[in-house]
């Protein structure tokens, strides 16, 4: 895992866009993002049991696996959105980027590779893309039945109760500590 501020320069979203300003795991935790590295599924199973993740599935995002819809899906994943559930991804193969917003509404880019696991809290604005290899295989973990409902960032979404809870728990707490 490598995390840094996104450079905001134009160009292919699948490129690193590394600003050169690194972000630590502790800084990610301040915005609610949890990172783990598990060289085998046993570690994932332990975390799943500890956090109450009862269901899982696996997804492969690649042109070979998805065919003609690959480009459309990757663009859709890259639209800024939030979920009303935690988003948990364990990378089985390949690589990709999760971009998350910090307390200053700046993008932090997190590159994940095989054996990395990330947990994004409900209500955090984020987006995802594969890297320039156009391939990632990820295990998705869920507390209940598998679902993936993105709510794209639009005017008024800040009023969503899951967003409000996220802001109170992470962003306002940081502002009060500053």
């Amino acid at each position: 895992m490598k995390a840094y501020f996104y450079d905001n320069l134009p160009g292919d979203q699948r490129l690193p866009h590394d600003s050169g300003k690194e972000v630590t795991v502790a800084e990610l935790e301040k915005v609610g993002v949890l990172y783990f590295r598990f060289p085998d599924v046993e570690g994932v199973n332990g975390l799943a049991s500890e956090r109450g993740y009862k269901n899982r599935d696996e997804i492969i995002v690649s042109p070979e696996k998805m065919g003609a819809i690959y480009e459309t899906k990757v663009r859709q994943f890259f639209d800024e959105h939030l979920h009303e559930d935690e988003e948990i991804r364990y990378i089985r193969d390949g690589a990709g980027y999760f971009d998350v917003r910090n307390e200053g509404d700046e993008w932090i880019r997190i590159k994940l590779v095989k054996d990395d696991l990330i947990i994004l809290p409900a209500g955090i604005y984020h987006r995802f893309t594969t890297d320039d290899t156009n391939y990632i295989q990820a295990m998705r973990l869920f507390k209940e039945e598998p679902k993936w409902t993105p709510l794209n960032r639009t005017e008024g979404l800040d009023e969503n109760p899951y967003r409000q809870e996220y802001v109170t728990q992470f962003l306002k707490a940081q502002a009060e500590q500053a």
Side-chain angles (χ1 to χ4, degrees), residues 27-44:
E27 289 171 300
L28 290 175
E29 289 173 355
K30 287 180 182 176
V31 295
V33 175
L34 302 177
Y35 169 76
F36 302 87
R37 183 154 182 85
F38 294 115
D40 57 54
V41 174
E42 292 310 309
V44 176

Side-chain angles (χ1 to χ4, degrees), residues 66-105:
M66 300 173 81
I69 66 163
Y70 172 77
E71 290 294 333
T72 302
K73 279 294 187 188
V74 168
R75 279 193 298 277
Q76 180 185 23
F77 296 154
F78 200 65
D79 286 339
E80 184 174 4
H81 62 279
L82 64 77
H83 298 281
E84 294 182 339
D85 298 301
E86 286 184 333
E87 184 164 346
I88 307 96
R89 300 294 180 265
Y90 174 56
I91 310 307
R92 305 294 306 261
D93 197 17
Y97 299 106
F98 275 91
D99 296 337
V100 298
R101 292 281 190 183
N102 71 358
E103 69 282 357
D105 212 30

Side-chain angles (χ1 to χ4, degrees), residues 14-15 20 39 41 56 63 69 71-72 83 89 102 106 111-113 115 126 133 136 139 149 152 154 160-161 164 174:
R14 293 168 254 211
L15 296 176
V41 174
R56 62 182 71 182
I69 66 163
E71 290 294 333
T72 302
H83 298 281
R89 300 294 180 265
N102 71 358
E106 300 166 292
K111 180 167 187 175
L112 299 175
V113 297
D115 298 334
H126 66 283
T133 65
I136 194 166
M139 177 186 293
T149 308
N152 286 349
T154 58
N160 174 291
Q164 288 294 305
Q174 275 196 49

